[in-house]
């Protein structure tokens, strides 16, 4: 059987004890108050339903999608063969308080596809009572509203009735007055019209007699004029026959002259066509040469700009080793730009081809115009004097076209010479490009070697740090000094003396805090360097110029005179080296770095307060 069912969808939010959202769906029938089926879907239930039926929608979007399916069913319920159907299926033969499944089915000639199937439970007595109570409450509220509306409408209608009755009585009085006035007015008008009709009939009879007399007089005059015009036309006919004989004689003479002029015209037309073909060939050559010139000029400009950029990068490669990756990205972007420029050139070539086609079409139109002019010439052959002047003008135009052809040939030769010069310049620029690419490859190799040196340095520093950590508890018990914990160090120290105004992040490369430790007896011991390694900052310095370059601090064992970490050959200052900053004044004093730096890099005793900076190769 077929029923009209009301579907109510509600989102219930429960905050006690845990915040949850449930979807409540209720099926009811307006005709049957005991028809009630409920379904409550929580988020967990929805996940199981999603896995069972292969749904692609989340819990938040499920209600709206369900509503959309119901709307499609509503739209197609009046059709003979609906595409979407709502099926309410129960195991029992009748809907007799048994679980029911609601299916949204899409029908097609091949198969019935169920998009969604939901199992509803029949409402219990308490739920049905609650539902009926809500329905009663709503009906009572509607009843109260309707009663109030009825009272208002009755009052309004009584007022309107009284007002309309008063207006009716007034208008009926006005109608009677108007009827009386109208009868008097119509009688007066009928009398006037009868008098006017009699007077106009008399006038019409008088005018008719006058018009008949005038017509007879005009008829006589027209007959006299017609006879005179016939005599004049006969005289003119005789004159025209004489003129016709003279014209036929002249026509025979004109035909002979026309034949002579046609022979001359055919020769001139052949010469004109040859000149036009030569002009077309030269124009095509000029267009191709112009296109090649524009393309090569663009290539030269792009190559010059690229060479300038590469030269600047080569000059700055010694100071900006960390930027080489960015330079590679820039070169890749330039390749993309070059590819785009080639595409634009191809489009430009296509546009030129379209212009050539349009020019050919225009030439065809010009040929058609010439044919039309030839037809006009045939009609105007009778005017011999004008033809002589036309032939003279054509000879002048041919001379001008020959001069233009000579000028275009000279211009094409000059263009060929300029093209050769530009090809030579392009070859030179290509050689410069190859040199710059070789220099780039050398800089990449230098980068790799520098990265290997830095990794070796990090290993050495980590070994020194572990050794110092093992020695620190023993020295703390012997000397009775307070050890500084790494937790008490500041997270982001700012180094004003080293030229770094911005704070360095807690992941900066090396933190080396040296503090003089005094014993109870007043004897001082050698400061111990604490070195921390962070490889993440090394990666960050390669990506951006704003970050500081990590530096490694080396501590010396004064008693043994041995050097910890690298040999002296790795600490030599080079002309193309980059200063590694990021260590404070307390960490790298000139007294501790003096044995490990070369003679040029050792600080003077006066400059003990200045910031120390170590130089690494490359």
């Amino acid at each position: 059987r077929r029923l009209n069912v009301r579907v109510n969808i509600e989102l219930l939010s429960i905050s006690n004890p845990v915040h949850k959202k449930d979807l409540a769906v209720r099926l009811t029938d307006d005709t049957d108050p005991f028809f009630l089926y409920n379904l409550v879907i929580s988020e967990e239930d929805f996940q199981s339903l999603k896995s069972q039926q292969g749904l692609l929608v989340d819990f938040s979007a499920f209600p709206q999608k369900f509503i959309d399916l119901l709307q499609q069913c509503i739209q197609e319920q009046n059709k003979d063969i609906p595409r979407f159907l709502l099926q309410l299926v129960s195991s029992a033969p009748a809907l007799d308080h048994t679980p029911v499944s609601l299916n949204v089915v899409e029908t097609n000639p091949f198969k019935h596809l169920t998009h969604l199937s939901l199992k509803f439970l029949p409402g219990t007595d308490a739920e049905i009572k609650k539902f009926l109570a809500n329905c009663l409450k709503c009906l009572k509220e509607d009843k109260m509203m309707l009663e109030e509306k009825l009272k208002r409408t009755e009052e309004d209608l009584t007022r309107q009735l009284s007002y309309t009755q008063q207006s009716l009585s007034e208008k009926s009085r006005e109608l009677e007055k108007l009827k009386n006035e109208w009868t008097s007015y119509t009688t007066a008008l009928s009398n006037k019209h009868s008098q006017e009709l009699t007077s106009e009939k008399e006038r019409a009879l008088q005018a008719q007699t006058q018009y008949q007399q005038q017509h007879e007089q005009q008829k006589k005059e027209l007959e006299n004029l017609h006879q005179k015009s016939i005599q004049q036309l006969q005289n003119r006919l005789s004159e025209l026959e004489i003129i016709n004989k003279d014209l036929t004689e002249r026509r025979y003479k004109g035909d002979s002259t026309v034949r002579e002029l046609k022979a001359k015209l055919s020769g001139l037309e052949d010469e004109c066509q040859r000149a036009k073909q030569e002009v077309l060939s030269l124009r095509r050559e000029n267009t191709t040469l112009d296109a090649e010139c524009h393309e090569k000029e663009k290539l030269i400009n792009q190559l010059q700009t690229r060479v300038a950029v590469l030269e600047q990068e080569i000059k700055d490669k010694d100071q900006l080793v960390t930027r080489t990756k960015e330079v590679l990205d820039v070169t890749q972007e330039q390749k993309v730009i070059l590819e785009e420029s080639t595409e634009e050139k191809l489009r430009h070539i296509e546009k030129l081809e379209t212009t050539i086609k349009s020019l050919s079409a225009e030439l065809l139109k010009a040929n058609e115009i010439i044919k039309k002019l030839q037809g006009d010439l045939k009609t105007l052959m009778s005017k011999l004097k004008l033809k002589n002047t036309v032939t003279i003008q054509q000879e002048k135009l041919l001379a001008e076209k020959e001069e233009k052809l000579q000028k275009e040939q000279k211009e094409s030769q000059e263009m060929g010479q300029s093209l050769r010069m530009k090809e030579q310049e392009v070859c030179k620029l290509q050689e410069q490009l190859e040199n710059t690419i070789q220099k780039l490859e050398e800089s990449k190799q230098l980068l790799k070697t520098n990265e290997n040196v830095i990794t070796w340095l990090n290993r050495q520093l980590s070994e020194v740090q572990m050794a110092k950590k093992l020695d620190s508890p023993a020295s703390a018990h012997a000397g009775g000094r307070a050890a500084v914990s790494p937790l008490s160090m500041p997270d982001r120290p700012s180094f004003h003396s080293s030229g770094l105004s911005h704070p360095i992040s807690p992941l900066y490369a090396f933190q080396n805090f040296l503090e003089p430790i005094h014993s109870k007896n007043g004897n001082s011991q050698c400061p111990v360097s604490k070195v921390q390694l962070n490889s993440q900052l090394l990666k960050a310095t390669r990506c951006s110029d704003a970050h500081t370059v990590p530096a490694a601090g080396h501590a010396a064992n004064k008693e043994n005179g041995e050097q910890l970490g690298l040999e002296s050959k790795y600490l030599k200052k080079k002309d193309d080296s980059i200063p590694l900053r990021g260590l404070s004044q307390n960490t790298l004093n000139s007294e501790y770095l003096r044995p490990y730096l070369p003679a040029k890099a050792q600080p003077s005793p006066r400059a003990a307060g200045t910031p120390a900076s170590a130089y690494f190769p490359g």
Side-chain angles (χ1 to χ4, degrees), residues 5-71:
V5 180
R6 189 180 294 279
V7 183
N8 292 320
I9 299 166
E10 293 179 0
L11 267 173
L12 304 173
S13 59
I14 300 163
S15 58
N16 290 322
V18 182
H19 186 72
K20 288 183 180 179
K21 282 187 177 180
D22 294 337
L23 182 69
V25 184
R26 188 171 63 198
L27 292 175
T28 57
D29 189 1
D30 294 337
T31 58
D32 188 3
F34 294 101
F35 182 86
L36 179 65
Y37 288 93
N38 293 319
L39 173 64
V40 179
I41 301 169
S42 63
E43 292 183 2
E44 295 172 356
D45 298 334
F46 179 74
Q47 293 300 325
S48 64
L49 190 138
K50 185 178 179 180
S51 61
Q52 285 173 5
Q53 299 186 13
L55 300 176
L56 302 173
V57 184
D58 295 332
F59 183 73
S60 59
F62 175 69
Q64 186 60 42
K65 294 291 179 185
F66 184 44
I67 289 162
D68 293 338
L69 286 170
L70 290 172
Q71 284 177 354

Side-chain angles (χ1 to χ4, degrees), residues 317-345:
K317 72 169 184 180
D318 297 330
Q319 296 178 355
L320 303 170
V321 173
T322 55
R323 294 186 186 177
T324 52
K325 288 185 179 180
E326 293 180 353
V327 170
L328 288 169
D329 294 332
V330 170
T331 54
Q332 287 176 0
E333 289 176 358
Q334 286 178 352
K335 283 180 183 178
V336 173
I337 290 162
L338 284 168
E339 289 175 356
E340 290 176 355
S341 66
T342 54
E343 289 177 358
E344 288 176 358
K345 286 168 190 173

Side-chain angles (χ1 to χ4, degrees), residues 126-143:
E127 289 176 349
I128 290 165
K129 285 175 184 178
K130 194 174 182 180
F131 172 67
L132 289 170
N134 287 324
C135 290
L136 266 171
K137 190 179 178 182
C138 293
L139 285 168
K140 284 180 180 179
E141 287 175 356
D142 292 336
K143 185 185 173 186

